Amino acid sequence: MNLVFLGPPGSGKGTQAKKLAEKLGYVHLSTGDVLRQAVADGTELGKKADGYMKAGELVPDDLIIGLIEEQVSAGKLKNGFILDGFPRTIPQAESLRDMLKKYQVSLDKAVLLDVGEDEIMKRLLNRAKIEGRPDDTEDVIKNRIEVYKQQTAPIVEFYKGESILQTVRGEDTPENVFNALLQVAQ
Ligand code: AP5
């Protein structure tokens, strides 16, 4: 099954996608992880993305779409994948639909992890103490939530329209969320 994971920052997309991909033998592709690695390696992509990420803004669509198309055209996203953090805008969702069609790959479900704002803030401020991610400060988290509402939440309707949206309650223990995801992911 080929899946995209949607949800606000801190909803558990990365935690669950990684675990689920291991369990089911799927490919897990997180655009956030790819970008953080590019920043750490000081690549051209990393240099372009760094400022946007630190401010909690989205990196421009063309950079991200190019990155995903490389994976699809190389046949790396075919039988069993989870896209985590992509798409994040309507143009990204439309590009994904078009490129999957071009390479005859299906998208089976868009899974929305539903978590409220208070819980998001709590989780990310807690992570800040452990990992020190530069975008996990209170102001930047607030901006990331705002960016999610403005630019990413509309793709929930997009996938409703494609009849592949599935919502999972993300405000539960990691184990319960995982079990709920397992039900929808196979
Ligand atoms: P990205 O890395 O995708 O950040 P995000 O969406 O803000 O995601 P997070 O990693 O904060 O949250 P998550 O939902 O994965 O939750 P997690 O499992 O980590 O993107 C970072 C930046 O890159 C963006 O701001 C943007 O600049 C850029 N970018 C990336 N993709 C892009 C795109 N497509 N287009 C444009 N720009 C893009 O969990 C969070 C914390 O909560 C962890 O500490 C975890 O241990 C904890 N936790 C998880 N589940 C639970 C639970 N059930 N109960 C309690 N705690 C939990």
Side-chain angles (χ1 to χ4, degrees):
M1 200 177 271
N2 298 327
L3 310 164
V4 300
F5 271 18
L6 309 172
S11 54
K13 302 182 296 294
T15 305
Q16 299 293 347
K18 184 169 179 279
K19 219 174 137 196
L20 204 62
E22 274 167 16
K23 169 93 177 170
L24 301 175
Y26 291 176
V27 171
H28 168 214
L29 180 65
S30 154
T31 43
D33 286 350
V34 171
L35 291 170
R36 275 185 290 279
Q37 191 60 49
V39 171
D41 294 345
T43 64
E44 278 310 305
L45 174 66
K47 284 179 198 153
K48 287 180 188 155
D50 194 25
Y52 294 102
M53 295 174 77
K54 281 201 178 103
E57 295 291 329
L58 295 182
V59 170
D61 283 337
D62 56 337
L63 289 181
I64 297 287
I65 290 166
L67 198 145
I68 297 291
E69 183 145 29
E70 271 173 30
Q71 301 286 314
V72 179
S73 65
K76 291 184 184 161
L77 296 180
K78 210 162 43 183
N79 302 318
F81 64 76
I82 305 175
L83 289 178
D84 155 16
F86 179 92
R88 247 177 160 98
T89 62
I90 292 284
Q92 289 183 19
E94 289 171 344
S95 296
L96 179 65
R97 179 193 58 199
D98 296 347
M99 72 177 91
L100 291 180
K101 194 169 169 198
K102 180 172 158 194
Y103 293 99
Q104 295 178 313
V105 178
S106 68
L107 181 62
D108 300 295
K109 281 181 187 166
V111 184
L112 171 66
L113 278 174
D114 191 19
V115 175
E117 285 182 30
D118 290 348
E119 175 68 14
I120 291 171
M121 192 52 90
K122 204 170 83 187
R123 287 183 188 180
L124 296 184
L125 289 178
N126 187 46
R127 182 171 67 186
K129 288 186 216 147
I130 303 163
E131 293 180 19
R133 228 172 90 169
D135 58 349
D136 280 344
T137 62
E138 189 167 349
D139 284 352
V140 179
I141 296 166
K142 279 187 187 154
N143 192 42
R144 285 160 66 199
I145 293 172
E146 204 46 45
V147 166
Y148 175 79
K149 285 186 195 162
Q150 300 288 332
Q151 300 186 54
T152 306
I155 65 178
V156 171
E157 290 304 313
F158 177 91
Y159 284 121
K160 258 189 210 163
E162 304 252 308
S163 304
I164 58 168
L165 184 79
Q166 195 111 25
T167 302
V168 168
R169 187 169 158 258
E171 239 174 280
D172 204 336
T173 63
E175 293 71 27
N176 286 347
V177 177
F178 181 72
N179 287 329
L181 286 169
L182 209 47
Q183 300 294 317
V184 300
Q186 53 182 348

